Amino acid sequence: MKILITGATGLLGRSLVKTALSKGIEINFLTTKKSKINCLNKAKGFYWNPSNGDLDTDCFLGVDIIIHLAGASISKLWTSSYKKLIFSSRVDSTRLLFSCLKQIGSRHKIKQIISASAVGIYPSDFEKKFSETAKVYPSTFMEEVVNAWENEVNSFDSINIKVAKMRIGLVLSNYGGVLGPLKIPTAFGLGAAFGDGKQGQSWIHISDVVGVFLKACNEQWEGVFNLVAPNPVSQTDFIKALAKALNRPYFLPPIPKILLKILVGKMSSLVLDSHWVSAQKVIGKKYKFLYPEINTAMKNIVDNS
Ligand SMILES: NC(=O)c1ccc[n+]([C@@H]2O[C@H](COP(=O)([O-])OP(=O)(O)OC[C@H]3O[C@@H](n4cnc5c(N)ncnc54)[C@H](OP(=O)(O)O)[C@@H]3O)[C@@H](O)[C@H]2O)c1
């Protein structure tokens, strides 16, 4: 099997590339930085620039599946120009992949595209648990981005490529992501939740992200899938689990919502929004989670840091 990965040099991509190579899967990847073309050992890099429609179509040679992870980070300050980049890096990059494949027609043999998406497509809700069948009516910036990104990926269906969209939750990894900025204050006993701390955190260990992506490749999954562990927790319990794994106390009251809103404006939704998301569909596909519980997942991350 040969997979083309976009965004392969990022947090999820690097883990996925490493595991896929160890299973004998060949990897091509697309990078927006010419300096990174040789940065992944044993994987073959190609250059693209979605903002001006540049893409080296040799990247498609012999490829069976595309895994599309590319997207500008959402954790940098949301200025209006950066918001445009968050949107275009996902939507325009998807459109470019599609138009190149349409152009080369039968000279490729790609059967499936698996695209990253995010649980941020669901509205923030403190009670309701969302499954993949929930109707979504985007009203916030993040909901609009994810919805447009998923709609763009749907176009591959028209050229007979199976489409799978992975609505990923908060990824736990020791190389960065959500735990990066939380680990330092928590290690000093200064970990605290935000708002009232009751917001749902639908998290997933990075090993399970990789495990589900590879199972989806092997079994040619189609449709929408929530990529979250079966046991989401409140934000207070999330920080408590991190403090416990670090062997540190957890005693501070949550940081008030208003303070965050003053400091980072609408971006505060990243930590104040609540998402309780169901993993039942992935469980129904007989995926066995390596880390279904927050305490063992956090301990594994901290022990391997
Ligand atoms: N990590 C999470 O908790 C999480 C949760 C939900 C959804 N997701 C989604 O899953 C995907 C992968 O996440 P990640 O954590 O691995 O992200 P990441 O570490 O930020 O990596 C994303 C990769 O996208 C590429 N990229 C950056 N800016 C780009 C641009 N303007 N145009 C095209 N490509 C660009 C970069 O690769 P090059 O520099 O090589 O081009 C980068 O390595 C993202 O789309 C993210 O939104 C992640």
Side-chain angles (χ1 to χ4, degrees), residues 59-117:
C59 70
F60 297 125
L61 286 177
V63 167
D64 305 290
I65 297 169
I66 298 177
I67 293 185
H68 184 34
L69 305 173
S73 168
I74 59 158
S75 47
K76 291 189 184 157
L77 201 58
W78 291 2
T79 58
S80 57
S81 63
Y82 195 69
K83 277 163 86 174
K84 282 186 191 141
L85 187 66
I86 290 178
F87 186 94
S88 66
S89 59
R90 290 171 172 80
V91 174
D92 296 356
S93 63
T94 311
R95 199 169 292 163
L96 179 59
L97 286 170
F98 174 79
S99 63
C100 288
L101 285 178
K102 200 168 173 190
Q103 217 168 16
I104 64 172
S106 58
R107 281 176 290 140
H108 75 81
K109 55 166 191 146
I110 294 162
K111 299 184 290 290
Q112 184 192 24
I113 180 166
I114 305 177
S115 180
S117 173

Side-chain angles (χ1 to χ4, degrees), residues 7 9-13 30-33 36 48 50 69-73 85 89-90 93 116-118 149 168-171:
T9 62
L11 183 72
L12 307 190
L30 279 165
T31 176
T32 57
K33 309 255 168 26
K36 290 190 190 168
W48 71 333
L69 305 173
S73 168
L85 187 66
S89 59
R90 290 171 172 80
S93 63
S117 173
W149 188 14
I168 307 169
L170 288 174
V171 176

Side-chain angles (χ1 to χ4, degrees), residues 284-301:
K285 286 279 198 184
K286 306 260 181 300
Y287 179 75
K288 193 161 174 4
F289 280 87
L290 299 168
Y291 297 96
E293 304 287 344
I294 189 71
N295 285 319
T296 41
M298 284 289 193
K299 183 159 171 24
N300 172 270
I301 298 291

Side-chain angles (χ1 to χ4, degrees), residues 268-298:
S268 59
S269 65
L270 288 180
V271 290
L272 295 175
D273 281 359
S274 175
H275 291 117
W276 297 97
V277 175
S278 164
Q280 279 314 311
K281 189 169 176 189
V282 165
I283 293 170
K285 286 279 198 184
K286 306 260 181 300
Y287 179 75
K288 193 161 174 4
F289 280 87
L290 299 168
Y291 297 96
E293 304 287 344
I294 189 71
N295 285 319
T296 41
M298 284 289 193

